[in-house]
């Protein structure tokens, strides 16, 4: 049995949002190297057809594997909700993790009896979170709400100020009147709105973030499978994008909490 594995963890997303997963992962596992792919030329995935999302996800995984990663995390909730079964079937000799299971675990661990899940249209239409939560505990009341405008707002850096609660009102006004016990952020972009959501719900709703939950789950997975990096490993962080690196660079710090370093443009086709 190999006690350590210093190969990078591959994390991919439709764009910038998965950097919230990369940030949570590197905070929890500072010795792990990361190869990050953002399919910035085709973001958003959340409004695309199931067929298109599956097709893109396969290309993303192919690229990640070409970088010699030890496992691949589909950090995109949309991909995890719609394409994970297909990826696991077609790459059965590889380790592919999604974010839905960890989000579900965060809900179960929270003890919430009523939870609202927010995400992209594709994630909400897939019903993946409700199915996962009910497989673990069918007495939890789950409602799922698509909040498509939050992705472009996060990408534009508009995460506070008067527009934000106005957009929340479009989707969450009813929920605000009758708050659930917990709100699960089922989209990689939404952790940027944690403060604004706390204000919107006057701190009355427990906010669960699938990015942090995914980092916790991955840490356990690496330990259990004896594939964690050596504690003395000096980790690298490589970023790959399918469109302008300068644009990615400009916005990445808000998602990652620091500058991303070198960003390389690649072609997935
Ligand atoms: N990364 C996507 C997700 O977590 C949000 C952006 C998109 O629609 O592609 O669902």
């Amino acid at each position: 049995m190999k006690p350590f594995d210093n190969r990078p963890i591959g994390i991919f997303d439709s764009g910038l949002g998965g950097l919230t997963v990369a940030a949570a992962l590197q905070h929890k596992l500072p010795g792990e190297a990361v190869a990050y792919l953002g399919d910035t030329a085709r973001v958003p995935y959340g409004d695309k057809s199931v067929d298109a999302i599956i097709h893109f996800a396969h290309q993303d995984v192919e690229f990640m594997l070409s970088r010699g990663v030890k496992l691949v995390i589909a950090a995109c909730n949309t991909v995890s909700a719609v394409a994970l079964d297909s990826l696991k079937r077609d790459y059965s000799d590889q380790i592919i993790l999604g974010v839905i299971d960890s989000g579900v675990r965060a809900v179960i661990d929270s003890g919430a009896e009523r939870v609202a899940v927010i995400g992209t249209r594709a994630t909400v239409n897939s019903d993946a979170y409700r199915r996962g939560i009910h497989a673990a505990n069918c007495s939890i009341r789950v409602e799922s709400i698509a909040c498509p405008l939050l992705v472009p707002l996060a990408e534009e850096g508009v995460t506070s100020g008067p527009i934000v609660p106005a957009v929340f009102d479009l989707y969450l006004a009813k929920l605000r009147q009758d708050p659930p016990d917990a709100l699960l952020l089922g989209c990689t972009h939404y952790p940027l709105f944690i403060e604004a959501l706390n204000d919107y719900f006057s701190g009355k709703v427990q906010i669960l973030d699938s990015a942090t939950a995914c980092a916790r789950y991955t840490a356990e997975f690496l330990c259990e499978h004896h594939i964690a990096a050596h504690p003395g490993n000096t980790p690298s962080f490589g970023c790959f994008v399918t469109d302008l690196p300068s644009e990615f660079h400009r916005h990445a710090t808000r998602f990652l909490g620091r500058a991303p370093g070198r960003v390389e443009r690649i072609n997935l086709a």
Side-chain angles (χ1 to χ4, degrees):
M1 186 195 313
K2 225 166 73 174
F4 297 110
D5 188 336
N6 287 346
R7 286 178 298 163
I9 294 175
I11 301 180
F12 75 90
D13 183 41
S14 51
L16 287 154
L19 288 174
T20 58
V21 176
L25 195 88
Q26 289 216 303
H27 180 72
K28 181 93 189 149
L29 301 163
E32 295 293 337
V34 169
Y36 182 88
L37 167 65
D39 189 5
T40 47
R42 301 189 291 202
V43 70
Y45 283 7
D47 294 327
K48 305 284 191 305
S49 68
V50 168
D51 285 352
I53 296 165
I54 291 176
H55 176 62
F56 297 164
H58 276 70
Q59 291 183 320
D60 296 335
V61 169
E62 282 293 333
F63 175 75
M64 293 271 75
L65 295 176
S66 77
R67 303 303 304 177
V69 298
K70 59 184 169 189
L71 64 90
V72 179
I73 301 179
C76 181
N77 285 259
T78 304
V79 168
S80 302
V82 167
L84 200 66
D85 288 346
S86 164
L87 293 174
K88 285 192 166 173
R89 200 175 45 242
D90 292 353
Y91 298 97
S92 55
D93 55 338
Q94 304 289 338
I95 305 170
I96 318 267
L97 305 178
V99 286
I100 305 289
D101 284 352
S102 30
V104 166
R105 258 181 60 179
V107 169
I108 303 302
D109 292 349
S110 75
E113 291 175 359
R114 186 180 148 224
V115 63
V117 180
I118 55 174
T120 64
R121 277 199 189 98
T123 299
V124 167
N125 289 343
S126 77
D127 208 21
Y129 273 112
R130 191 201 54 76
R131 283 187 279 116
I133 293 166
H134 281 171
N137 181 345
C138 60
S139 67
I140 298 175
R141 281 199 289 152
V142 184
E143 56 201 298
S144 304
I145 303 162
C147 303
L149 278 178
L150 295 188
V151 169
L153 274 188
E155 299 242 332
E156 277 302 310
V158 183
T159 53
S160 60
I163 295 176
V164 174
V167 174
F168 289 166
D169 271 342
L170 278 179
Y171 307 119
L172 307 174
K174 264 201 188 139
L175 214 58
R176 191 190 202 187
Q177 279 166 18
D178 179 21
D181 302 318
L183 179 74
L184 176 66
L185 309 184
C187 174
T188 50
H189 287 66
Y190 298 177
L192 271 72
F193 295 102
I194 287 180
E195 239 182 86
L197 284 164
N198 259 320
D199 288 348
Y200 186 74
F201 288 106
S202 311
K204 288 184 194 141
V205 174
Q206 190 182 351
I207 295 182
L208 309 171
D209 154 19
S210 61
T212 311
C214 176
R216 208 167 42 231
Y217 180 81
T218 307
E220 287 169 18
F221 186 93
L222 294 177
C223 265
E224 275 165 23
H225 292 80
H226 308 285
I227 53 169
H230 189 279
N233 187 36
T234 308
S236 57
F237 187 86
C239 273
F240 303 90
V241 292
T242 53
D243 207 342
L244 295 177
S246 53
E247 272 305 290
F248 182 88
H249 215 278
R250 200 156 69 82
H251 296 293
T253 308
R254 275 184 287 108
F255 288 82
L256 190 60
R258 62 178 171 83
R262 204 171 95 90
V263 180
E264 197 180 315
R265 185 173 182 169
I266 55 118
N267 190 347
L268 288 177

